[in-house]
Amino acid sequence: MKKIITLLAAFAMITAIVQAQESVASTPIKMSEEEMGVKLQPLYQKLQEMPQDENTDANLKKIVKEFLDENHNEAGVYVLQRLGSTMTEESLNYINNVEYFKNSPVLQEQKVMWLKLHETGEGSIFKDFQTEHEGKVVKLSDYVGKGKYVLVDFWASWCGPCRMEIPNLIKVYNQYKGDKFEVLGVATWDKPEDTKKAIKELGIPYPQILNASKEVSDAYGIVGIPHIILFAPDGKIVKRNLRGSDIERTVKKALQQESLK
């Protein structure tokens, strides 16, 4: 699979449509490495040669659509999967109009997740959930919609990128915590004992919701973690999928705007 990984890495770098996320499950590929490599090579070549100018987005769409038109097969499915959260309504219509893609369980599942993702897009009110651990029930609404901005981090102890974001979250928490702002971890796809161990190792000071099931992340269309969401005081979603320096920048801007009200 080395050739496929290399091609997809380049594909991600050039198109910026593959996010650095860890998937819950991998999809088995029936097409051989050689076959997939042959199918992907022309796409990789065109993307590599594509000029970076004001027409980049249009050119990208044109190149990808041409590839999909010629590849009603697993290679096409593989590329459509890579659209992930950037998939558009136009992409969904395309899938539904191509028999091979329409009958792909993988893409139909992705369509469901896309719809959930967009149901919980920016400006949408939060979807509540609850988890139970050691006889204690905790709800998202115990924190969100209570008059504070709440930065919610869906994460897991085993997730490398999740652990990399923890220092950014701790920094923001220490800087802005108070009656206007809170940080909340939601440990998903993880064993509570492993989460507790990681909390201690990483020195996480903010509250956590443990033992969140897949249904919790599914409610927000989350297919990869970490997935960090900022909620407004009224429970509406301000911004999703925050990473790195964008975390502090988004929180700072939101709190500044709040202070002007």
Side-chain angles (χ1 to χ4, degrees):
M1 299 295 292
K2 188 174 181 181
K3 184 184 293 184
I4 293 176
I5 294 171
T6 300
L7 287 171
L8 287 174
F11 180 68
M13 178 181 68
I14 296 168
T15 65
I17 60 176
V18 178
Q19 299 176 341
Q21 298 175 324
E22 296 190 14
S23 182
V24 186
S26 59
T27 304
I29 303 170
K30 296 176 183 177
M31 188 177 285
S32 71
E33 175 185 345
E34 290 74 21
E35 289 173 322
M36 185 66 80
V38 168
K39 292 291 185 183
L40 291 175
Q41 183 61 41
L43 175 61
Y44 165 56
Q45 191 67 36
K46 286 182 180 180
L47 290 172
Q48 194 175 43
E49 296 171 353
M50 184 180 70
Q52 303 295 309
D53 54 30
E54 67 274 8
N55 299 315
T56 295
D57 287 345
N59 290 335
L60 172 60
K61 288 180 181 179
K62 182 174 182 292
I63 290 170
V64 172
K65 186 177 184 302
E66 287 175 351
F67 176 83
L68 293 173
D69 286 343
E70 297 171 3
N71 287 276
H72 296 175
N73 50 41
E74 287 196 43
V77 170
Y78 207 69
V79 168
L80 282 165
Q81 280 183 277
R82 266 57 230 156
L83 292 176
S85 61
T86 65
M87 184 175 282
T88 63
E89 190 168 350
E90 183 181 2
S91 305
L92 292 178
N93 291 333
Y94 184 87
I95 289 171
N96 288 330
N97 288 326
V98 176
E99 200 67 22
Y100 187 91
F101 298 148
K102 184 178 179 180
N103 294 328
S104 166
V106 171
L107 293 181
Q108 288 308 309
E109 181 179 353
Q110 185 162 322
K111 176 183 175 181
V112 171
M113 295 303 289
W114 182 90
L115 291 171
K116 289 180 179 178
L117 178 72
H118 285 265
E119 285 172 2
T120 54
E122 294 177 11
S124 303
I125 196 71
F126 77 102
K127 285 191 176 183
D128 202 10
F129 60 78
Q130 68 179 41
T131 70
E132 183 175 352
H133 178 59
E134 296 181 342
K136 183 180 180 181
V137 175
V138 183
K139 298 180 179 180
L140 180 64
S141 56
D142 292 337
Y143 299 90
V144 173
K146 299 292 186 180
K148 289 186 179 184
Y149 280 95
V150 185
L151 189 66
V152 180
D153 175 31
F154 291 83
W155 74 294
S157 64
W158 49 262
C159 166
C162 297
R163 297 175 77 105
M164 288 176 63
E165 293 295 347
I166 297 300
N168 295 322
L169 295 166
I170 293 175
K171 179 183 177 183
V172 170
Y173 173 75
N174 288 334
Q175 187 169 353
Y176 298 107
K177 66 181 177 181
D179 59 357
K180 297 291 184 182
F181 178 71
E182 179 66 281
V183 177
L184 173 68
V186 178
T188 186
W189 319 332
D190 205 7
K191 296 178 180 178
E193 57 268 27
D194 293 338
T195 303
K196 291 177 182 178
K197 182 180 177 182
I199 290 171
K200 187 175 181 180
E201 290 173 347
L202 298 168
I204 298 175
Y206 46 83
Q208 297 285 329
I209 293 180
L210 304 180
N211 202 33
S213 65
K214 187 175 181 294
E215 285 73 19
V216 167
S217 52
D218 282 354
Y220 284 85
I222 295 172
V223 295
I225 53 176
H227 196 101
I228 303 169
I229 304 174
L230 180 62
F231 292 88
D234 60 0
K236 289 182 180 178
I237 294 171
V238 177
K239 195 168 182 180
R240 297 188 54 145
N241 208 20
L242 293 164
R243 290 291 189 91
S245 60
D246 197 30
I247 296 172
E248 182 177 1
R249 184 164 50 248
T250 301
V251 170
K252 182 179 180 180
K253 181 180 178 181
L255 291 173
Q256 286 176 338
Q257 290 177 339
E258 186 70 16
S259 67
L260 296 175
K261 291 181 179 180

